[in-house]
Each structure stands twice: as C-alpha cells, then as structure tokens.
Amino acid sequence: MAVKPSTLQVFLLAGVKTTTCSFNACKDRLEEQLRSEGIDPNIHVLFPYGDASRNLIKQVLEVKTDLSNRMRAGRIGGRQVWQQIKDTVKGERALLIGHSGGGAAAYQAAKMLAEAGIMNDFRVVQVGSPRTPIDPSMRERVSYFHSIDSWGKLNDPISRIGSWGGWIRTGRSIPRWNRFKYAPGYVEGIPTLGGHAHYFRNTAPYIDTDSVCNLDKTIGRVREWLKGWL
C-alpha cells in the first residue's frame, strides 16, 4: 500500500519593498524538492509589511517593532502574519522562511502562535534578516542565514542591524556582555553573489563558477538544517 505523503504548511515571508513575484523561483524549487522527499507542501507567500507598492518609510518603521521582545503591543509584522495563518496551522507542521524583515515577522508570529498553543511543531528560518533576540525556549527551532564574501566575512548590511546581545553573569563574577546570548540556535554564512536582495536568485549573474546559483545555495543550506525534522 502506498504511503501517504506527510503534509507541511510552508510560509515564505517577504521584507520591505518586495515585488509580488520575488518568491516565484523559491516557491517552485521548494515544492519540487519537498515532493521528492515524500512531503506534500502547501506553500503560501505573505507580505507582513505590504508589497513594493507601499511606502518604504512606513514599512521600515513597522519592521522595527518586530526587532524586540519588549514591546508586546508592537510586533506589527508578526501580528499581521499571526492573523493570516492562525487558522491554517492548527494541528499542522509549519515551516516559516522569512527574508529580511520577513524573518523578524516570522519569528514573532511563531512565538505568539506557540504561546497560544496554536502551533506546536514548527521551524523558523531567517534569511538576511535583522538580528532579532530569540527567546531561549525557541532557540533550537530558529535558524539564521546571512551572506558572506570570499573571505568569509558578513557582507549583507541588513544582517548587522539589531542585536542578539545580553548581559550574563556566572557566580560572583562581574557581568559581561555576550553578543550571542539571544542568538538563534543555528547561524551560518552563505557565499552568495550580489547583495541583500539576491538570496533567492537563480539566473546570471547570480551563478558562481561552479554553476551553482544563489537560490540553490540558500535552499540547500536550509534543507541541511531541517534534516531530522522534515
């Protein structure tokens, strides 16, 4: 008897000034690869801060509300995503992949859904996102990928925004600042070509000398992290 494919709700979350077609190649590649692994994905593309037609300044200000866990009344993008997916993810496995500000919204939405008991089996992937402090209880469910240059140094300026830092103290020692105290459980650099907007590009000039495009590099690293859960 044929084994029924396991289902997975997948949400691709855009950052600011993103066109409605930006995730087309990513969506197609993800669906192809997940189905090859016996997974039946239901992929949704969401715009927590609106698409490219919306005012940039307003979008940026809304992203800022998602960069801290201190403002419970804020989290504008996170609340937008929460409203859009709360009825879809009940009892379902869910994967949230957010680019740029969409990564911050993905984490905030997942945290609110988990706290409400609506979503239990999930993973969050942040790609080229600002640094959002991750609650320790969520850490192992969140990964973070950023672009690096040929020297292995971070070269996406958006990935420098925000902070994972916090003060730590051991015994009676003097408190010291740990810049990774609230970091995601997994952080990795990807040698992509181009800039912040190009993680999911699959055509020239975003193909390296080994004929590997940015999209395949990004999706490949995400899938590697998801091994054992998918």
Side-chain angles (χ1 to χ4, degrees):
M1 185 174 63
V3 177
K4 184 179 179 180
S6 62
T7 59
L8 178 68
Q9 296 291 340
V10 181
F11 302 93
L12 303 177
L13 279 63
V16 303
K17 279 296 177 182
T18 304
T19 60
T20 55
C21 63
S22 293
F23 278 120
N24 286 356
C26 179
K27 181 178 179 181
D28 291 344
R29 190 65 53 86
L30 266 177
E31 183 165 14
E32 173 190 349
Q33 294 189 5
L34 289 171
R35 288 193 183 282
S36 72
E37 296 178 9
I39 297 169
D40 182 16
N42 189 3
I43 304 178
H44 318 256
V45 178
L46 305 179
F47 294 82
Y49 312 102
D51 61 24
S53 66
R54 192 159 177 261
N55 180 273
L56 174 62
I57 301 301
K58 289 183 179 179
Q59 291 186 3
V60 170
L61 291 174
E62 289 176 357
V63 171
K64 288 180 68 176
T65 71
D66 285 306
L67 299 187
S68 172
N69 286 329
R70 298 174 184 173
M71 299 179 292
R72 193 167 184 84
R75 306 179 189 179
I76 291 175
R79 287 191 287 113
Q80 284 282 354
V81 175
W82 176 79
Q83 286 286 352
Q84 292 178 58
I85 75 175
K86 60 185 176 66
D87 295 324
T88 303
V89 297
K90 290 181 178 178
E92 298 259 11
R93 286 197 308 161
L95 171 62
L96 289 79
I97 302 176
H99 172 246
S100 192
Y107 164 69
Q108 297 293 6
K111 187 171 187 294
M112 288 187 283
L113 288 162
E115 289 173 344
I118 296 173
M119 186 171 72
N120 299 308
D121 192 4
F122 64 92
R123 294 294 184 272
V124 176
V125 177
Q126 298 179 312
V127 179
S129 299
R131 299 184 180 192
T132 309
I134 306 299
D135 187 285
S137 66
M138 294 271 291
R139 175 172 291 165
E140 298 310 313
R141 298 184 179 193
V142 182
S143 63
Y144 183 94
F145 298 90
H146 61 85
S147 179
I148 56 175
D149 61 20
S150 58
W151 299 95
K153 294 183 179 180
L154 188 152
N155 65 352
D156 181 349
I158 301 301
S159 297
R160 300 182 186 276
I161 297 173
S163 173
W164 296 323
W167 292 102
I168 62 172
R169 184 173 184 175
T170 304
R172 297 182 179 180
S173 65
I174 297 174
R176 62 183 178 87
W177 184 256
N178 181 343
R179 60 196 181 98
F180 294 108
K181 181 176 180 179
Y182 298 108
Y186 187 83
V187 178
E188 182 179 358
I190 307 173
T192 58
L193 300 174
H196 173 70
H198 306 132
Y199 288 93
F200 301 110
R201 298 295 178 88
N202 65 339
T203 58
Y206 308 107
I207 301 175
D208 66 19
T209 55
D210 294 320
S211 300
V212 183
C213 65
N214 285 356
L215 174 61
D216 285 342
K217 291 177 184 179
T218 303
I219 294 300
R221 299 316 304 156
V222 170
R223 288 181 62 209
E224 189 67 25
W225 177 69
L226 291 170
K227 275 186 177 179
W229 179 72
L230 284 177

